[in-house]
Amino acid sequence: MLKKPIVFETTFSTYTAVRLLQEGGSGFVYEAIDADKRSWAIKLLKVPNTSSSRRGRFKNELLFCVKNVHPNILTITDHGVIGEGGLLQSLPPRG
């Protein structure tokens, strides 16, 4: 559990992160809930010192997942820019 919930807002939704699931070299994945209390995974690209190459890979991943529907491909339901250029993707949790 996070000591203090983190709130992410996109054009259409507000997500409240309740715990950190993973942290990697490029970003974080949080478990979050929306206003309807549905559970989501939020993938957030780290902002400080993020190269244009990493932002490009994040964008390519987003576009690939949005365009392709398959049981083995993540379903991205929302995305946006937060704070000072932070990029996020919203995914329904697996399992």
Side-chain angles (χ1 to χ4, degrees):
M1 296 297 276
L2 298 173
K3 291 181 181 181
K4 181 180 176 185
I6 303 169
V7 177
F8 304 110
E9 291 187 39
T10 66
T11 302
F12 302 108
S13 296
T14 300
Y15 306 93
T16 303
V18 293
R19 73 181 173 117
L20 178 65
L21 297 174
Q22 282 291 334
E23 179 178 357
S26 296
F28 307 92
V29 178
Y30 292 97
E31 177 185 354
I33 55 171
D34 66 10
D36 295 325
K37 305 294 184 207
R38 292 178 296 189
S39 183
W40 298 93
I42 301 294
K43 183 175 181 181
L44 180 66
L45 187 67
K46 290 181 180 177
V47 178
N49 304 318
T50 300
S51 68
S52 61
S53 174
R54 280 199 174 160
R55 286 191 303 272
R57 286 194 303 266
F58 194 84
K59 179 182 176 183
N60 289 342
E61 175 184 305
L62 169 71
L63 294 175
F64 177 83
C65 291
V66 168
K67 291 179 183 177
N68 295 281
V69 178
H70 187 275
N72 294 331
I73 297 175
L74 296 171
T75 302
I76 296 177
T77 58
D78 196 3
H79 62 278
V81 177
I82 60 164
E84 296 180 19
L87 303 171
L88 73 83
Q89 300 172 357
S90 169
L91 318 125
R94 296 259 173 162

